[in-house]
Amino acid sequence: MPGRPNVPMIDTQPVTELSNPLTEQLDTASPEGFARLLRQADAQIFAGWREHPSLADRECLLQMARFSERLARVFAAKDQGAVVLSGAGTSGRLAVFLAKELNRQLRVFRLPEVFSACVAGGEAALIQPVEGAEDRAAAAVEELKALLRKETKVGLFVGISAGLSAPYIAAQLESLRPNAAWAASVLGFNPLSQARATRAEADQISFADALAPWSAEPDRFFPLTPVYGPEALRGSTRLKGGTSTKMLLEVCFQLALELRGIDEERPALPEPDADPDREALVDRLRMILSEYREALESAYADVSAVGSLVKLGGNALRSAGRIYYLARGTAGRMAMLDAAECPPTFGADPGDVRAFLQEGWGSWLEDGRDLATLGKNYTIDLESFEESFLPEVSRGDLVVVPTIGPVGDRLRGLLEACHEARAKTAVVWVSPLAPKPDERPDNIDLLLHIHVPALGFRPGYFNMAETALKLVLNALTTGAHAMSGRIYGNSMIDLRLSNTKLYARSVKTIQTLLGLPAEQPAAEALHRAVFQTDTPTPEQLAAPPMEVVKLAGERRGIVPRALLIGTGKFTCSEAGRALADDPVVRRAVMRALTG
C-alpha cells in the first residue's frame, strides 16, 4: 500500500487559539497530573510548535537583537528617548507592570525613566476587565497621544497582543506611523501572516492592515513573534503568552543595557555595525535565555508540592470558598496580576480570587493615588483585608502568601489569624536557599519552596524569581478553576463576552466541542443563550458581535448554557437548571449526546 502523502499541516485558526494535544484531558487530571501537564506545555516556550520558528531559532533571536539595538538607541537619547508599552487585558496589565519594573532598573543606573504604559480601559482594568475596551479604537489613539512627548527624538512603541488581534493596538499602530521619530514593534505569538484580518467595527482598521505599512519599513519595524504553540488552556494567553511577554522584554532590556555598556556586571558587547550578522548578539541572547529556562524548571521542580497547592485551591473553590493572596513588593504585584485575570478567563466572580498588598496601591501608582474609590473590588491593602475580609475568612477558604525571600512579621501575623479562622494556609517561597526553621511561619498547611539559582540579573532585580512565581500562581488558579468545573477538556467555557475576540473564540469553542459542521449553528446557540430565548428573531440571529457583547455584559454562564443548547436537547431554562444541578459541563453534554 502506498504511504500517506507528506502534506504539511495547515492551521486554519491562529496558533494561539488552537487546542494543545498535550492537555486535552486537563479537566480530568489529578492535581499533580495537572501540574505536570502545565510543565509540558510551558516547555514549548523554548521548544516551539511544529514547523514555526521559536525562541531557540536564529530567526527569532535576530528579531530580538534588532529590537534590542533600537532600545539601546532610546537609552542613548536620554531625555529625548521614550518607550511606550501597550496592550489589552493580560497584555495591558503586564505593560504597566514591566514599565514600572524596568524604570526602577533604569533608576539604579541613574538613567532617565523612559518607559510608560497604556492599558485598554485605563487603570480600572488593572483589577477587572473593562467591557469592550479592547475594541475601542478612538480611545486607544487618545490614550497613546497623551503619552507622546514633543521632545522625543528616538521613540519605540511596543504593541503587545498575544494573538496579533487587538483593535486597540491596531489603531495605535496606524496613528503612530506618520511620526518619523517613532519606531514600532508588535509582540505576539502567532506568525505575522495570522494577524487578525477582520474588523471589530466597519470604520476601524484590522490588525493585518495596520501591520502592512510598517512591514514595508524594516528600519522602523521590529516584530517579536516567536511561536510557542497552543496554550495549555485553549486561548488563555495569560499562561505562556504572559510568561513569554515578560521574558522577551526583560531579555531585550538586558541586552540593550549591555550594548550601551551600562551594566558593569556584564561586559560591553561589540558594536553591531561591525558585526552585520549579529552573531555575538545572538550568542549572548542564548545565554540570557538559558537563565530563564532554569527559572521555568525551578517552578516545577517539586511537582508534587505544586499539585498539593492546586488541590488546596480546587477544594476551596469547589466548596464555595475563596482564594486570598497576601503579599508585598514585586511578589504582591505578580499575585495581583494573577487574581485579576481570573474573572475574564473563567467567568469567575471578582471575589473568588483576591490579592491584598502590604503597600496597597502604592505598589502600582507613584503619586499616592488610591483606586479604592472605584469600589470594593479595588481595595487591595492589607488594612482593608484585616478590617473587612478577615472576619469572613472561614474553613472553606485558602490564604496564600507568595514571597521572594522572608515572609515578614505583618504577613506572618495575618497567616496565623487565618489559621485560627480555620482556613487553609500556604506559603510559596522563592529563593536560592531554603527557608531556615525560624523563618518558616507556624501552623501553615503547605510550604512550597521554589529553588531558583538566582533571583535576577543583579541585586535588587527579581526577574527570575518573578517568572518562577508567576508559573506557580498560574498553576494554582488555573487548576483550582478546572477542579470547580470551569473548563471542558482544555477549553475555557465560562469566559465573559467582554470583547469581539472573546465572542469569536466562544463561537469556535462551541463548534469544536460539539463537533458542529459550521460556525452558524454554534453562533445561533450562543445568541439564544445571550438573548435568553428559544425562538430568536432574524434580527437577533444576525446581531453583530459588538451588539451581542454589549448585551452579554458581565453575565456568567453564557457559554456553558450555549453548549447545552447547541446539543439540541435543552431549552434555555432547561440548560440553566442542568448546570445548577451539575456545574461540570462535559458530564451534562455527554449525557445529552449519549442519552
Side-chain angles (χ1 to χ4, degrees):
M1 286 180 66
R4 295 179 60 186
N6 185 18
V7 179
M9 300 182 73
I10 299 174
D11 297 324
T12 57
Q13 282 183 271
V15 174
T16 53
E17 298 290 329
L18 295 172
S19 171
N20 195 321
L22 292 173
T23 60
E24 288 176 348
Q25 303 302 317
L26 203 60
D27 60 339
T28 57
S30 68
E32 187 172 330
F34 187 96
R36 287 196 174 99
L37 291 174
L38 287 191
R39 179 175 64 185
Q40 293 173 47
D42 282 334
Q44 293 174 319
I45 292 174
F46 296 97
W49 171 254
R50 293 182 180 170
E51 76 278 9
H52 300 289
S54 74
L55 280 175
D57 292 293
R58 185 172 180 275
E59 176 182 338
C60 289
L61 295 171
L62 285 172
Q63 288 180 343
M64 295 170 66
R66 292 181 61 248
F67 178 96
S68 302
E69 289 169 5
R70 177 67 184 194
L71 192 54
R73 286 188 57 201
V74 173
F75 296 160
K78 298 184 178 180
D79 291 331
Q80 294 181 327
V83 182
V84 174
L85 309 179
S86 183
T90 297
S91 298
R93 287 185 282 272
L94 276 170
V96 175
F97 174 86
L98 288 165
K100 180 180 181 66
E101 293 299 313
L102 299 182
N103 277 337
R104 190 167 64 85
Q105 289 302 303
L106 291 175
R107 202 179 307 148
V108 169
F109 295 112
R110 297 178 181 173
L111 293 173
E113 297 175 27
V114 299
F115 289 90
S116 57
C118 271
V119 53
E123 291 173 339
L126 291 174
I127 289 288
Q128 60 188 56
V130 176
E131 182 184 335
E134 181 176 313
D135 297 324
R136 297 174 189 163
V141 173
E142 291 304 313
E143 289 163 15
L144 177 61
K145 285 181 179 178
L147 294 178
L148 302 182
R149 305 193 310 267
K150 291 182 179 179
E151 62 268 25
T152 299
K153 302 299 182 186
V154 184
L156 177 59
F157 170 80
V158 185
I160 308 170
S161 178
L164 303 179
S165 60
Y168 187 85
I169 299 301
Q172 291 177 335
L173 284 168
E174 182 189 34
S175 70
L176 194 62
R177 195 171 63 84
N179 192 330
W182 285 80
S185 172
V186 291
L187 195 162
F189 307 105
N190 289 323
L192 286 174
S193 60
Q194 288 188 347
R196 187 179 182 183
T198 57
R199 306 179 182 188
E201 297 280 7
D203 60 346
Q204 295 179 6
I205 192 170
S206 73
F207 207 101
D209 287 341
L211 285 183
W214 282 103
S215 299
E217 298 186 67
D219 292 339
R220 294 180 63 203
F221 186 53
F222 306 93
L224 297 176
T225 54
V227 177
Y228 54 58
E231 292 284 357
L233 182 61
R234 185 174 183 174
S236 181
T237 51
R238 82 183 191 116
L239 300 175
K240 287 193 286 189
T243 303
S244 299
T245 295
K246 179 180 182 299
M247 181 173 63
L248 280 168
L249 290 176
E250 289 172 349
V251 167
C252 291
F253 174 81
Q254 177 62 29
L255 185 62
L257 290 180
E258 295 177 23
L259 282 168
R260 297 302 308 164
I262 293 168
D263 189 346
E264 295 178 359
E265 296 187 12
R266 313 270 180 163
L269 290 161
E271 286 294 325
D273 290 343
D275 185 10
D277 289 333
R278 299 182 171 89
E279 293 304 329
L281 303 190
V282 167
D283 289 343
R284 179 65 189 131
L285 285 168
R286 287 197 176 101
M287 292 179 64
I288 300 173
L289 284 168
S290 69
E291 298 182 44
Y292 279 92
R293 192 190 294 264
E294 290 181 353
L296 188 152
E297 292 171 351
S298 298
Y300 295 109
D302 191 349
V303 73
S304 176
V306 176
S308 296
L309 183 65
V310 168
K311 185 176 181 179
L312 288 174
N315 289 342
L317 295 188
R318 288 179 73 170
S319 63
R322 297 172 186 256
I323 298 173
Y324 294 108
Y325 289 130
L326 309 178
R328 59 179 177 167
T330 189
R333 290 188 287 277
M334 295 307 299
M336 187 174 128
L337 288 173
D338 183 74
E341 290 156 0
C342 291
T345 303
F346 304 106
D349 185 276
D352 288 352
V353 182
R354 290 288 301 267
F356 295 89
L357 281 58
Q358 187 163 306
E359 304 87 352
W361 278 107
S363 186
W364 285 92
L365 308 177
E366 303 286 353
D367 53 6
R369 288 178 299 119
D370 190 332
L371 299 187
T373 55
L374 296 177
K376 185 178 180 180
N377 291 338
Y378 290 85
T379 56
I380 65 169
D381 56 277
L382 290 183
E383 291 76 14
S384 295
F385 173 79
E386 195 165 12
E387 294 171 9
S388 302
F389 294 85
L390 182 56
E392 300 176 1
V393 171
S394 63
R395 180 189 296 271
D397 297 324
L398 171 64
V399 180
V400 181
V401 170
T403 184
I404 298 174
V407 171
D409 293 340
R410 180 78 189 282
L411 295 174
R412 287 173 74 119
L414 288 174
L415 270 177
E416 183 62 30
C418 294
H419 168 75
E420 292 175 0
R422 309 189 75 178
K424 296 293 185 182
T425 55
V427 173
V428 181
W429 185 302
V430 189
S431 69
L433 300 175
K436 299 175 183 177
D438 62 341
E439 292 178 322
R440 177 185 174 127
D442 298 326
N443 301 316
I444 56 174
D445 294 284
L446 177 68
L447 174 63
L448 170 55
H449 175 223
I450 306 175
H451 180 276
V452 290
L455 296 178
F457 287 143
R458 64 190 68 86
Y461 190 20
F462 306 114
N463 53 300
M464 299 303 176
E466 292 162 358
T467 301
L469 181 61
K470 175 189 180 298
L471 294 170
V472 171
L473 298 186
N474 284 171
L476 163 60
T477 50
T478 304
H481 284 98
M483 288 179 64
S484 61
R486 298 293 181 128
I487 70 174
Y488 188 120
N490 63 359
S491 294
M492 301 175 288
I493 54 167
D494 205 5
L495 65 172
R496 297 185 182 181
L497 303 184
S498 57
N499 56 57
T500 57
K501 177 184 73 177
L502 294 181
Y503 169 91
R505 180 181 297 165
S506 298
V507 171
K508 182 56 69 173
T509 295
I510 295 165
Q511 179 192 359
T512 302
L513 294 181
L514 296 182
L516 300 175
E519 290 189 359
Q520 182 177 349
E524 180 177 337
L526 183 64
H527 286 217
R528 284 174 61 189
V530 170
F531 287 99
Q532 299 181 343
T533 177
D534 295 315
T535 55
T537 66
E539 291 76 19
Q540 289 172 331
L541 289 177
M546 280 294 288
E547 182 179 332
V548 178
V549 165
K550 290 175 183 176
L551 183 60
E554 291 297 301
R555 278 192 279 150
R556 299 172 63 174
I558 288 175
V559 178
R561 282 181 174 81
L563 277 165
L564 296 189
I565 292 167
T567 65
K569 306 293 185 180
F570 296 87
T571 65
C572 288
S573 58
E574 288 170 348
R577 287 195 296 270
L579 292 172
D581 292 339
D582 185 351
V584 180
V585 180
R586 193 194 321 209
R587 286 201 289 260
V589 170
M590 289 299 102
R591 282 195 296 267
L593 295 179
T594 61

